[in-house]
C-alpha cells in the first residue's frame, strides 16, 4: 500500500525519517514515530496475528488503540497495540500466534 | 504514593474538552487536559471537510483548522494539555489515575469534565474479522493523520454522515470507492454529502448489507445482498465486488465508561447510554461534568458549544463566575446550540420520515435512494434558476442548519434569510460577478455557476473540485451527470484555486447547451 | 407462593444446595436472588482457590471433604468445565519469620491428617521456576488447587434450573416470619409472602439483616477484597500461590490470564455504595502489582485488563455458620464464609441438602453451629 | 421478582440459526450461537454471559462487542435494548502492565 504523498486538502505529506526494523526476521523500512501498523501496511503486511482459539488472521481494525485486534509481539512483548505504538529504529516485530511467537505456538 | 492536585481536570482534548478548557481558563481557572492520543483535537484533525452551520459555528472552516485554532487559544489561555495520557480510572472524591509514559499518576481535581467523545459501532457479518475490514474512523486516522491509504478499492458500509464524509475522503486520498451500502431504506446523512459522491459515479445500494467479506488472510472481495423489511437477505439479489478494504460506518456510541465507573447517574437514550446531565453537563455528582459526544452523539460544532457551556458552569461551580453571569452566557449559547439542532436532521427528528421541506416542497426521493437529485426533480427547488448571464445554481434541497453561501455573496445572489435551515434561493434579479466564493464556501459542494449561451449552443459550468490532479485548461474529457453517468464531451476552460477558496478548486467546463442542467462533474479522458 | 424449600441467596451455596436437593428428588424448590444476576456476590468475585492448607481446624474437614468427594468429578456431574486443577498450593516465604509462620500452619493441618509439607528454596523453585530468588522456602499442599468460580457457580445454577428449580432474580427479601414458633415465611420487599417447610439462609453478609428480622444476630462484618486480572499469557504454572506475608494470592487460569487477589487498601474505609465499588482502588491495584512482581518478576510486563472487588462476609471468629438454629426451627443457616466459601461450597451445599431432608450430614458440624457465638 | 423459569418458557427453545458461528466477541472468540445457547440455558443478563462465556472479557474489555451483545440479548429475550443492563465498567480502562501500575508510588514526584 502506498503512502499519500500529495493530498488535495492537506497538501504535501511530511516526510519522516527512514528507519530500519524487522518483522518476522525480514528487514523493512518505515518512518520513525509513525505507528508500527502504518509502517507494516506500507510494506504490504496486513496480518498482525492469528487468534488463540480459531487461529484466524487479524489486522488493524480501529486504528486508535481501542479494539486491540492489531496486537503483535514487539521487542519480545506480546499484545502490543501496533496502531498506536510509535516505530523506533531496530524494533523487532513478530506475528503473534495466540499470545506467543511462532516457535512457541502450539 | 503522591496525589497531585489540579483545579479542573478535563478528560479528552477534543472539541468539547478544549472549548471548555478555554472558557474555564479565561476565567482564571487552572486547567489540565489529559488525552490518550498522541495528538490533541479529538476527531477534528481527521475532519478535513468544511463545517456546516453559520459563522458562530465555524462554518466553512475545515475541521483540522478549527482544531488548530482551539489548540492555539488553549495555549494562549494557559491550559495545560497532556498527551499520551490515558485516564485509567475515575474514583470517589474526584480522583483519577492517569498513565503517562509508563507511570501512573494519581490526580485529584476540584472539578472534572469528562469529554471522552464516542467510539464506533460495529456490525458482524461473515468475514468481519478479516484484516481489511476496518472502521471508518480507522480509515480517517490512516489517511488524514498517518498519510497512508487504507486500501486501493474500498466498499463503504453505512450512509450516515460519517460514511459519506469518509468515502469522499477516500477519494481524495486516491482510493477507489466501489459502492456505498446501507441496510436502511434511505441514505442517513446529508443529501449534499451523498450527491458529491454520486456524481463521481459511485453507486449507492440502499436496503442492502454485507453478506460476506471474502479472502483467506485478508479481504479480497465482498458480497452484498438486498434485505427485506425484517433485514433478512433476499435470495438471488447478491452482488459481488473485488475490494481489498471494507469500511464500516454504522454509527457511534458515547464512551461513558468513566462516568459509569464513578457512579454518575446514567440513562439510556436514542443517542446512546449517557450520563444523566443538564444542559451544562452537570451530572448527578456535584463537580463532575460531561460535554460533547459522551453526552449523546452530535456534530463537532455542537460539541464545541456544549464544551463552552460546561466551561461557564464549571467557572460558576468553582466560584469564578456569578450565577447571573453564567445564566446569561448559557442563554446565549443555548440559542446557538438550538440553531444547530434544527432542520431535517435535528436530534428531535431522528427516526421520523420527512416528506416535505419547510418550504412545503416534496423531498427528492431519488436523493434518499440513490444519492442524487434526479434531473426531473431539481427544478422544483429554489436554488435552481435559468438565466443567460452567469448565476449560481444551488442544489441544496434539504433543510440543514447552514448558511455560509448567503454571506459569501456580496452581490445578493443568494438568499437564505433569518432561518438558517431554509433552502437557499438563487435570486434571479441580481448580478453575479463570477467571484466563485459561494461555490468554495459551500460545505456541501452543492453550488455551481452556470452561464447559458443558448444562441451559440453551449454553456459553461463551474463546479467545486477537491481532487488531484486538477484538470488543466484545454483538457478534454467527459461531463458527468448527477448520477456520475458520462453525458457528453467537455472542455476545461478555466481552473481557479486561489488561497481564498481554501483548497476547493473551481473548475469550469464547456458543454453543449442541452446539458447545462444535467452536467455536474468532469472526468478526464474518453471513457 | 408455597414451596418445600426456599433458599435465600442465589450464589454458589444457594445454587448448589438447590441442585443437590433437586437431585435428591425434592420437587418444589425456590431460590431468591436479590440482584439481577446469579452469583453476583462473592461467588463470582473470588480468587478461585480450592484450598485446604492453612484453614482453621473447625473448617478444614469441610474443605477436605470438598476436595476428596466433590471437586474431582464436578465438571462431569454438572456438564460445564469448572476448570478444577489439583496441582497444589505453594505458600511462599521470604524471611525466617515467614518460614516459622508457614511451619506453624503446616503443623496445624498435618495434625488434622492433611498432607502439607515444607519445601526448601530449591524445591520451591523446581515446583515453580518463575519464583523470585527472594523466595527462600514454602509450604506445599499437593492436593490443593483452584477452579473457575464463574463457570462453577453458573454450572450449578443451570443444572438446577434444568432440573426444575425455580430461580427468581430481583427478589429482595425484607425479612423472615415465625408462624407458631417455626420460621416458615419469607416476606419480600414488595410485600409478597412466601412460605416453605424449610428456609435456607445463604445470602452472604445480607444474611445478618435478614436474621435480625426474627430477633437474632450473627456477629459478622462485610470486608471488601479486590482482584486484578491480566491479559492471556502462555501457560506458565498451575499451582495456587499464596504468601506467608499475605500480600497476594492467585493463579493462572485455563484461559491463560492470571487472577491475583490482595487485601483491599483504602476501599475498606471508604463510605461508598457497594454497587459503584466494582474495581480496585488505585492504591490497592499498585500495591498488588508490586507484591506480585516481588514474587514472580517475569510477570512485571504482563498487562492488567481489569480489576474488581467483592465482599467477604467475615464472622467474629473467622469461620462460617452452618446448620439449623435452635431458636429458629425451620431455618438453616449457611453464611459467614470469610472468603473461603467457593472451595468448600460443594461439600457445604451437599450437607445442607442432607440436613434439609432430615439426614445426618457427612461431617459433624457442631463446631460451626450458630449457637457457638453465645455459648 | 423475575421468574427465570417463566422467562425461559416465554422465549421458547433454542433454535439453531444459519449464522450462529459468527463471532460476536473478537477478543475471546465467542460466537453468536454460544451466546444464544447460553441465554436459553438461563443466562439472561450480560453479566452472567460474560462470566460464563468470557465475551467482553478479553484484551479490549468489551469495547467492540458490548453493544452487539446487548442487541443480541435483547433480540433473543424479545425486549427493547434499553431493558438490557450495560456491562460494568472496570478500571483500568486500557491494558497497563503490572510494572506500570506498580510504579504509581513514583508518579508525580
Amino acid at each position: 500500500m502506498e503512502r499519500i504523498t500529495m493530498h488535495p486538502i492537506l497538501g504535501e505529506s511530511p516526510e519522516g525519517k527512514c528507519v530500519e526494523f524487522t518483522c518476522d526476521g525480514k528487514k523493512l523500512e518505515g518512518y520513525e514515530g509513525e505507528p508500527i501498523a502504518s509502517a507494516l501496511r506500507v510494506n504490504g503486511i496486513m496480518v498482525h496475528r492469528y487468534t488463540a482459539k480459531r487461529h484466524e488472521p487479524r489486522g488493524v481494525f480501529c486504528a486508535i488503540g481501542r479494539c486491540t485486534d492489531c496486537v503483535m509481539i514487539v521487542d519480545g512483548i506480546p499484545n502490543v497495540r501496533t496502531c498506536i505504538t510509535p516505530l523506533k529504529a531496530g524494533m523487532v516485530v513478530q506475528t503473534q500466534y495466540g499470545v506467543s511467537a511462532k516457535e512457541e505456538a502450539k | 504514593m503522591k496525589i497531585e492536585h489540579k483545579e479542573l481536570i478535563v478528560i479528552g482534548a477534543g472539541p468539547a474538552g478544549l472549548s471548555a478548557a478555554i472558557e474555564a481558563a479565561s476565567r482564571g481557572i487552572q486547567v489540565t487536559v489529559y488525552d490518550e492520543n498522541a495528538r490533541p483535537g479529538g476527531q477534528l484533525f481527521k475532519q478535513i471537510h468544511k463545517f456546516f452551520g453559520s459563522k458562530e459555528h465555524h462554518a466553512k472552516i475545515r475541521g483540522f483548522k478549527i482544531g488548530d485554532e482551539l489548540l492555539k487559544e488553549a495555549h494562549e489561555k494557559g491550559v495545560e494539555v497532556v498527551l499520551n495520557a490515558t485516564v485509567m480510572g475515575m474514583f470517589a472524591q474526584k480522583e483519577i489515575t492517569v498513565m503517562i509514559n509508563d507511570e501512573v499518576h494519581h490526580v485529584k481535581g476540584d472539578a472534572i469534565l469528562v469529554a471522552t467523545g464516542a467510539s464506533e459501532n460495529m456490525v458482524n457479518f461473515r468475514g468481519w474479522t478479516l484484516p481489511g475490514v476496518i472502521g471508518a474512523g480507522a480509515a480517517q486516522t490512516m489517511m488524514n493523520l498517518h498519510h497512508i491509504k487504507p486500501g486501493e478499492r474500498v466498499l463503504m458500509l453505512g450512509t450516515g454522515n460519517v460514511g459519506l464524509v469518509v468515502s469522499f475522503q477516500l477519494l481524495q486520498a486516491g482510493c477507489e470507492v466501489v459502492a456505498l451500502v446501507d441496510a436502511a431504506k434511505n441514505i442517513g446523512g446529508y443529501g449534499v454529502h451523498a450527491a458529491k459522491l454520486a456524481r463521481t459515479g459511485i453507486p449507492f445500494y440502499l436496503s442492502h448489507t454485507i453478506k460476506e467479506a471474502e479472502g483467506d488472510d485478508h479481504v479480497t472481495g465482498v458480497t452484498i445482498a438486498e434485505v427485506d423489511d425484517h433485514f433478512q437477505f433476499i435470495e438471488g439479489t447478491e452482488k459481488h465486488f473485488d475490494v481489498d478494504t471494507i469500511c464500516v460506518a454504522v454509527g457511534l456510541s458515547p464512551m461513558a465508561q468513566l462516568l459509569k465507573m464513578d457512579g454518575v447517574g446514567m440513562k439510556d437514550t436514542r443517542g446512546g447510554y449517557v450520563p444523566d446531565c443538564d444542559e451544562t453537563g452537570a451530572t448527578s455528582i456535584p463537580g463532575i461534568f460531561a460535554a460533547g459526544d459522551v453526552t449523546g452523539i452530535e456534530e463537532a460544532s455542537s460539541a464545541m458549544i456544549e464544551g463552552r457551556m460546561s466551561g461557564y458552569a464549571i467557572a460558576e461551580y468553582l466560584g469564578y463566575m456569578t450565577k447571573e453571569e453564567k445564566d446569561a452566557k448559557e442563554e446565549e449559547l443555548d440559542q446557538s446550540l438550538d440553531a444547530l439542532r434544527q432542520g431535517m436532521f435535528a436530534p428531535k427528528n431522528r427516526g421520523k420520515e420527512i416528506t416535505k421541506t419547510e418550504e412545503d416542497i416534496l423531498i427528492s426521493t431519488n436523493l434518499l435512494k440513490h444519492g442524487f437529485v434526479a434531473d426531473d426533480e431539481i427544478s422544483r427547488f429554489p436554488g435552481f434558476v435559468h438565466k443567460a448571464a452567469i448565476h449560481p445554481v444551488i442544489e441544496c434541497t434539504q433543510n440543514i442548519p447552514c448558511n455560509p453561501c448567503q454571506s459569501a455573496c456580496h452581490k445578493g445572489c443568494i438568499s437564505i434569510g433569518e432561518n438558517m435551515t431554509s433552502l437557499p434561493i438563487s435570486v434571479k434579479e441580481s448580478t453575479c460577478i463570477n467571484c466563485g466564493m459561494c461555490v468554495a464556501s459551500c460545505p456541501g459542494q452543492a453550488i455551481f455557476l452556470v452561464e447559458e449561451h443558448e444562441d451559440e449552443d453551449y454553456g459553461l459550468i463551474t463546479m467545486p473540485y477537491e481532487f488531484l490532479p486538477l484538470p488543466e485548461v484545454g483538457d478534454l474529457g467527459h461531463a458527468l451527470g448527477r448520477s456520475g453517468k458520462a453525458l457528453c464531451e467537455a472542455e476545461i476552460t478555466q481552473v481557479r484555486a486561489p488561497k481564498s477558496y481554501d483548497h476547493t478548486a473551481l473548475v469550469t467546463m464547456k458543454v453543449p447547451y442541452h446539458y447545462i442542467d444535467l452536467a455536474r462533474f468532469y472526468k478526464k479522458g474518453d471513457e | 407462593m408455597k414451596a418445600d424449600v426456599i433458599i435465600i441467596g442465589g450464589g454458589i451455596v444457594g445454587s448448589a444446595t438447590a441442585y443437590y436437593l433437586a437431585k435428591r428428588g425434592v420437587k418444589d424448590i425456590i431460590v431468591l436472588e436479590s440482584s439481577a444476576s446469579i452469583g453476583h456476590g462473592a461467588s463470582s468475585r473470588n480468587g478461585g482457590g480450592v484450598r485446604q492448607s492453612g484453614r482453621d481446624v473447625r473448617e478444614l474437614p469441610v474443605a477436605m471433604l470438598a476436595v476428596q468427594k466433590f471437586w474431582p468429578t464436578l465438571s462431569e456431574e454438572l456438564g460445564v468445565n469448572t476448570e478444577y486443577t489439583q496441582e497444589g498450593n505453594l505458600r511462599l516465604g521470604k524471611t525466617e519469620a515467614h518460614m516459622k509462620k508457614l511451619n506453624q500452619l503446616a503443623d496445624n493441618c498435618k495434625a488434622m491428617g492433611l498432607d502439607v509439607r515444607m519445601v526448601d528454596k530449591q524445591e520451591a523453585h523446581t515446583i515453580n521456576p518463575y519464583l523470585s530468588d527472594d523466595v527462600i522456602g514454602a509450604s506445599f499442599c499437593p492436593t490443593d488447587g483452584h477452579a473457575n468460580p464463574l463457570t462453577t457457580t453458573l454450572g450449578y445454577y443451570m443444572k438446577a434450573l434444568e432440573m426444575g428449580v425455580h430461580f427468581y432474580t430481583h427478589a429482595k427479601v425484607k425479612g423472615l416470619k415465625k408462624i407458631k414458633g417455626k420460621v416458615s415465611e419469607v416476606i419480600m420487599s414488595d410485600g409478597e409472602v412466601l412460605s416453605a417447610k424449610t428456609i435456607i439462609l445463604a445470602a452472604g453478609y445480607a444474611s445478618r439483616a435478614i436474621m435480625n428480622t426474627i430477633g437474632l444476630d450473627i456477629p459478622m462484618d462485610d470486608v471488601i477484597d479486590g482482584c486484578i486480572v491480566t491479559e492471556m499469557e502462555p501457560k506458565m504454572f498451575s499451582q495456587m500461590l499464596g504468601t506467608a506475608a499475605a500480600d497476594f494470592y492467585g493463579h493462572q487460569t485455563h484461559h491463560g490470564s492470571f487472577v491475583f487477589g490482595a487485601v483491599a487498601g483504602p476501599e475498606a474505609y471508604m463510605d461508598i455504595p457497594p454497587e459503584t465499588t466494582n474495581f480496585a482502588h488505585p492504591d490497592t491495584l499498585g500495591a498488588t502489582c508490586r507484591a506480585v512482581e516481588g514474587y514472580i518478576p517475569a510477570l512485571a510486563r504482563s498487562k492488567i485488563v481489569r480489576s474488581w472487588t467483592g465482599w467477604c462476609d467475615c464472622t467474629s471468629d473467622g469461620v462460617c455458620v452452618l446448620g439449623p438454629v435452635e431458636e429458629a426451627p425451620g431455618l438453616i443457616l449457611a453464611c459467614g464464609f470469610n472468603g473461603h466459601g467457593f472451595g468448600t461450597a460443594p461439600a457445604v451445599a451437599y450437607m445442607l441438602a442432607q440436613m434439609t431432608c432430615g439426614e445426618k450430614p457427612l461431617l459433624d458440624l457442631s463446631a460451626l453451629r450458630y449457637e457457638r457465638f453465645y455459648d | 421478582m423475575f421468574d427465570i423459569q417463566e422467562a425461559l418458557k416465554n422465549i421458547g427453545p433454542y433454535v439453531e440459526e444459519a449464522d450462529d458461528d459468527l463471532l460476536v466477541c473478537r477478543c475471546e472468540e465467542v460466537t453468536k450461537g454460544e451466546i444464544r445457547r447460553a441465554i436459553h440455558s438461563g443466562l439472561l443478563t450480560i453479566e452472567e454471559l460474560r462470566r460464563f462465556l468470557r465475551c467482553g472479557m478479553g484484551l479490549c474489555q468489551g469495547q467492540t462487542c458490548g453493544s452487539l451483545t446487548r442487541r443480541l440479548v435483547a433480540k433473543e429475550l424479545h425486549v427493547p435494548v434499553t431493558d438490557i443492563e450495560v456491562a460494568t465498567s472496570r478500571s483500568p480502562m486500557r491494558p497497563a502492565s503490572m510494572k506500570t501500575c506498580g510504579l504509581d508510588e513514583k508518579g508525580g514526584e
Side-chain angles (χ1 to χ4, degrees), chain D residues 5-108:
Chain D
Q5 292 285 13
E6 185 68 21
L8 284 181
K9 212 186 296 163
N10 291 341
I11 64 173
Y14 163 77
V15 181
E16 198 175 316
E17 286 180 9
D19 59 355
D20 269 351
D21 62 330
L22 264 191
L23 283 187
V24 174
C25 170
R26 297 166 69 100
C27 297
E28 292 295 322
E29 301 177 82
V30 182
T31 64
K32 181 183 166 191
E34 288 174 276
I35 295 174
R36 292 186 58 239
R37 266 192 293 272
I39 293 171
H40 289 270
S41 307
L43 307 188
L44 307 180
T45 63
I46 297 274
E47 294 294 345
E48 288 161 331
L49 290 166
R50 279 162 64 102
R51 289 174 198 151
F52 194 68
L53 298 171
R54 294 195 54 88
C55 47
M57 301 271 266
L59 201 56
C60 93
Q61 287 291 294
Q63 305 248 15
T64 311
C65 66
S67 55
L68 284 176
T69 310
R70 210 169 159 226
R71 280 209 296 275
L72 178 57
V73 174
K75 193 176 161 215
E76 216 55 37
L77 298 183
H78 314 299
V79 297
V81 173
T82 45
D83 278 13
I84 308 297
E85 181 66 29
V86 173
T88 308
S89 322
R90 299 180 194 279
S91 168
M93 289 295 293
R94 301 282 181 268
S97 77
M98 287 223 201
K99 194 178 171 68
T100 298
C101 294
L103 272 181
D104 66 341
E105 280 187 313
K106 303 220 170 72

Side-chain angles (χ1 to χ4, degrees), chain B residues 2 36 88 106 128 268, chain D residues 26 70 93-94 104 108:
Chain B
K2 187 178 163 184
E36 67 172 318
M88 304 209 297
H106 297 249
W128 76 298
D268 235 318
Chain D
R26 297 166 69 100
R70 210 169 159 226
M93 289 295 293
R94 301 282 181 268
D104 66 341

Side-chain angles (χ1 to χ4, degrees), chain A residues 7-106:
Chain A
H7 190 281
I9 310 302
L10 299 169
E12 213 170 324
S13 301
E15 204 172 315
K17 183 185 159 200
C18 244
V19 292
E20 274 190 0
F21 69 104
T22 66
C23 180
D24 292 335
K26 213 173 128 192
K27 252 194 192 152
L28 303 172
E29 277 186 354
Y31 288 162
E32 186 175 57
E34 73 177 332
I36 296 170
S38 291
L40 292 172
R41 192 79 177 80
V42 171
N43 283 285
I45 295 168
M46 289 184 77
V47 179
H48 288 215
R49 66 179 182 114
Y50 290 89
T51 58
K53 253 197 210 166
R54 304 194 348 169
H55 314 292
E56 290 174 348
R58 294 288 171 82
V60 171
F61 186 55
C62 82
I64 49 169
R66 199 154 297 139
C67 78
T68 66
D69 239 356
C70 67
V71 296
M72 298 178 88
I73 300 174
V74 177
D75 291 335
I77 299 176
N79 281 343
V80 173
R81 293 173 290 167
T82 56
C83 70
I84 54 159
T85 305
L87 181 71
K88 287 186 201 136
M91 262 182 171
V92 178
V93 180
Q94 290 169 284
T95 306
Q96 186 171 314
Y97 296 80
V99 284
S100 310
K102 193 160 198 176
E103 48 279 15
E104 299 160 32
K106 300 213 176 90

Side-chain angles (χ1 to χ4, degrees), chain B residues 73 241 503 525:
Chain B
E73 203 181 340
F241 300 90
H503 295 87

Side-chain angles (χ1 to χ4, degrees), chain C residues 31-38 167-173 188-190, chain D residues 1-4 44-45 83 85:
Chain C
V31 180
L32 303 171
E33 166 56 39
S34 68
S35 80
S37 66
I38 298 299
F167 281 84
Y168 293 86
T169 52
H170 301 281
K172 290 190 179 38
V173 171
M188 305 305 293
S189 60
D190 63 2
Chain D
M1 273 172 54
F2 182 78
D3 183 340
I4 291 172
L44 307 180
T45 63
D83 278 13
E85 181 66 29

